[in-house]
Amino acid sequence: MGDLAVGARSGHDEPEKKADEAIGDDVTGDDVTDDERAHDDGDGEAAAGRSGASPKKPRSFWKELPLLIGIALVLALLIKTFLVQAFSIPSESMMNTLQRGDRVLVDKLTPWFGSEPERGEVVVFHDPGGWLEGQETPDPNVVQKFLSFIGLMPSAEEKDLIKRVIAVGGDTVSCKEGGKVVLNGVALDESAYLYPGSVPCQDSFGPIKVPEGRIWVMGDNRQNSLDSRFHQQLPGGGTVANDLVVGRAVVIAWPVTRWATLPVPDIFDQPALNKAVAAAPLGAVGLAGALPLVLWRRKKRTAGHTAE
């Protein structure tokens, strides 16, 4: 070390004493005392500490993987619970709108904000009780149940049904055999979504007044759909409570060759459908307003007869 430092100063060999004296010299020839060297060493160690001379090694991918999986599962569960959920179509009752094996995404968000089912929507709902009695249901394994629970697979809860909303609370619906479905006095042209060759109803029903807070549902493949028409003997008269509706099916997500949205058909936007519903409350208001007048006149007549 001394030889190197000395060579840097003079380029010639010096006595050993000179070499010892030159130990403190740096390559520029400046002398450094012991105190200064100690001071510099301390500053260097402090600077190394401040600059993170020994940074922590990043965690390995395998240590991070469980955390990432946990976050993904929580997000999937939250999405399935509050936003959208996948459902698999198990039957042909909604052909050709939906085919067996299609996967649809159901909007579960808007019901949280008070949205209720509307005419023409395709909705998924829980079995009101007795609708699926006697029908075979798949028996998924543990893995399928778990993936379905967190929303990574279509629902394994086979007690759900999917139909189209035809009438909502306050509506009156009926149909004559071989004729059209009549909603609030308006005959519906359902050719836009009915299965080709299917008639609106093969058996007559109604008129049925749908109670408030409930819906009347029918499949698009009317000859192959056990819908509201066939459960009128059950509590609710074939109608489904709004609280049992999981959400509206908004898109066919799988297979990709079948990708499509599920809009509300134009026939349900007719103003005449709402006018008929509005007429009933107005009539009730008129009756309520006329009742006091009738009672007052009757009381006056009674008082007149008594006086005579």
Side-chain angles (χ1 to χ4, degrees):
M1 179 176 179
D3 292 343
L4 176 62
V6 170
R9 293 186 62 180
S10 63
H12 301 284
D13 291 340
E14 296 286 343
E16 195 169 318
K17 182 179 179 182
K18 294 289 185 179
D20 292 337
E21 293 174 355
I23 284 178
D25 298 357
D26 63 8
V27 293
T28 62
D30 296 329
D31 291 336
V32 180
T33 65
D34 291 339
D35 291 339
E36 290 172 335
R37 185 181 298 110
H39 179 71
D40 290 341
D41 290 344
D43 289 346
E45 291 175 2
R50 289 194 301 269
S51 62
S54 300
K56 293 183 179 179
K57 293 182 179 180
R59 299 175 66 178
S60 69
F61 171 76
W62 296 110
K63 290 183 178 180
E64 294 283 355
L65 185 59
L67 178 61
L68 295 176
I69 292 177
I71 294 174
L73 293 179
V74 171
L75 289 176
L77 182 59
L78 290 175
I79 291 172
K80 175 230 175 180
T81 303
F82 299 104
L83 299 179
V84 295
Q85 184 177 357
F87 284 84
S88 178
I89 306 303
S91 71
E92 300 174 350
S93 67
M94 284 295 294
M95 289 181 63
N96 270 345
T97 304
L98 299 173
Q99 298 182 4
R100 184 192 293 268
D102 282 351
R103 266 64 168 175
V104 297
L105 296 182
V106 173
D107 169 23
K108 300 180 70 174
L109 177 62
T110 51
W112 286 91
F113 294 94
S115 174
E116 296 186 348
E118 297 184 1
R119 306 183 195 107
E121 293 181 346
V122 176
V123 297
V124 171
F125 57 94
H126 299 310
D127 183 1
W131 285 42
L132 293 175
E133 186 176 350
Q135 296 189 31
E136 295 183 4
T137 56
D139 186 19
N141 57 41
V142 175
V143 175
Q144 290 173 326
K145 288 182 178 179
F146 175 73
L147 293 178
S148 172
F149 173 74
I150 62 176
L152 295 181
M153 281 187 65
S155 174
E157 177 55 69
E158 296 300 332
K159 295 300 182 181
D160 295 330
L161 302 96
I162 185 166
K163 305 291 180 187
R164 189 180 297 278
V165 179
I166 301 298
V168 297
D171 289 344
T172 300
V173 61
S174 64
C175 187
K176 298 295 183 183
E177 182 179 353
K180 294 182 177 181
V181 172
V182 178
L183 178 61
N184 296 334
V186 179
L188 300 179
D189 179 6
E190 301 182 277
S191 58
Y193 55 83
L194 282 187
Y195 181 69
S198 182
V199 296
C201 63
Q202 63 269 42
D203 297 315
S204 300
F205 68 86
I208 295 170
K209 180 69 175 292
V210 180
E212 293 294 337
R214 304 184 74 88
I215 55 176
W216 177 272
V217 296
M218 300 172 74
D220 290 354
N221 187 3
R222 297 287 162 80
Q223 276 66 55
N224 193 16
S225 176
L226 296 176
D227 47 44
S228 291
R229 298 168 294 166
F230 299 96
H231 299 99
Q232 297 181 53
Q233 77 283 2
L234 297 175
T239 61
V240 179
N242 290 353
D243 293 342
L244 294 177
V245 176
V246 177
R248 174 188 172 187
V250 292
V251 65
I252 303 173
W254 186 263
V256 292
T257 55
R258 292 265 306 145
W259 190 93
T261 57
L262 298 170
V264 174
D266 293 338
I267 61 168
F268 292 99
D269 293 331
Q270 300 180 69
L273 296 177
N274 296 321
K275 289 180 180 178
V277 177
L282 289 177
V285 172
L287 179 61
L291 186 60
L293 179 61
V294 172
L295 293 176
W296 176 77
R297 292 184 63 184
R298 179 174 293 182
K299 183 177 181 182
K300 187 176 180 180
R301 285 183 180 180
T302 302
H305 289 305
T306 303
E308 290 176 357

